[in-house]
Amino acid sequence: MNIFQRIRNVCIGILTLLCAIILITEPTDAYTFVIGVLALGLTFTGIKYLAYYFSMARHMVGGKMILFRGVIMLDFALLTGSLADVPKIYILLYLVAIHAFSGVVEVLRAMEAKRTVGGPWKMKFSQGVVDFLIALSCFVFIRNTNTTVIIFGIGLMYSSIMRIIGAFRRTTFILIE
């Protein structure tokens, strides 16, 4: 990770931390804020993948996966943006599904990193477990939307702190001789 990527990760972490504080302090008004943040984040991610595909990945092996990932991210962004008029429980179920899926994926990535590289897998594993626990606790308190938004804000705080910590960690290099 170069210095620009580290600075970008710290800035994104601080911005996410501020958003989490807003969510925790104002849980009643956070519904539209959460929808907006999710839709914008997914839109930017989808556009980033599509720009990467059209600039470089179309010439690479497996480049079509980048294209599919970008299109799916944009589809999720459109779906999230269109959920502003539906009842809050559907948004909360959507958030639970996103956290549960990302938690399982992070745990599986950590286990693969432990098997193959033997490097820093503990941080990924803890992020995956925390994401899954957030999904579980949001599912338990799904009837009380304020509590669920506060739990989501706490998870967002944890994620931003881990992003900032990850920006200051040393990058490991694998040298094959």
Side-chain angles (χ1 to χ4, degrees):
M1 186 181 310
N2 62 22
I3 190 74
F4 177 72
Q5 290 171 333
R6 289 181 195 275
I7 292 171
R8 188 186 70 200
N9 277 341
V10 169
C11 290
I12 290 172
I14 290 171
L15 185 68
T16 308
L17 191 62
L18 291 175
C19 290
I21 291 171
I22 291 171
L23 283 178
I24 290 173
T25 56
E26 298 293 329
T28 55
D29 301 329
Y31 179 70
T32 55
F33 183 72
V34 168
I35 290 174
V37 168
L38 279 175
L40 281 175
L42 290 171
T43 301
F44 288 139
T45 305
I47 290 171
K48 180 180 79 169
Y49 281 133
L50 288 177
Y52 178 63
Y53 171 77
F54 287 117
S55 65
M56 189 183 306
R58 65 181 166 172
H59 304 293
M60 296 173 15
V61 175
K64 284 187 181 179
M65 288 301 295
I66 304 292
L67 173 68
F68 296 150
R69 191 177 293 170
V71 170
I72 288 172
M73 287 290 180
L74 279 177
D75 286 343
F76 276 129
L78 290 174
L79 174 71
T80 303
S82 69
L83 291 176
D85 298 332
V86 299
K88 291 181 181 180
I89 193 144
Y90 295 120
I91 290 292
L92 296 176
L93 285 173
Y94 185 62
L95 286 175
V96 166
I98 287 173
H99 273 289
F101 181 73
S102 69
V104 168
V105 167
E106 282 296 318
V107 166
L108 291 174
R109 285 179 57 199
M111 290 303 182
E112 182 182 4
K114 182 181 177 185
R115 268 194 326 258
T116 58
V117 179
W121 61 273
K122 294 176 186 173
M123 194 161 98
K124 284 183 184 181
F125 185 78
S126 70
Q127 274 184 305
V129 169
V130 167
D131 264 347
F132 194 74
L133 288 176
I134 287 170
L136 188 64
S137 60
C138 284
F139 188 71
V140 168
F141 295 110
I142 201 150
R143 293 279 181 208
N144 189 353
T145 56
N146 289 345
T147 307
T148 306
V149 169
I150 289 172
I151 292 170
F152 179 69
I154 291 170
L156 210 56
M157 285 179 81
Y158 177 78
S159 172
S160 64
I161 290 170
M162 294 304 281
R163 179 183 283 265
I164 292 170
I165 290 171
F168 290 114
R169 291 185 75 171
R170 289 180 48 163
T171 306
T172 57
F173 291 100
I174 299 174
L175 180 63
I176 301 173
E177 294 181 18

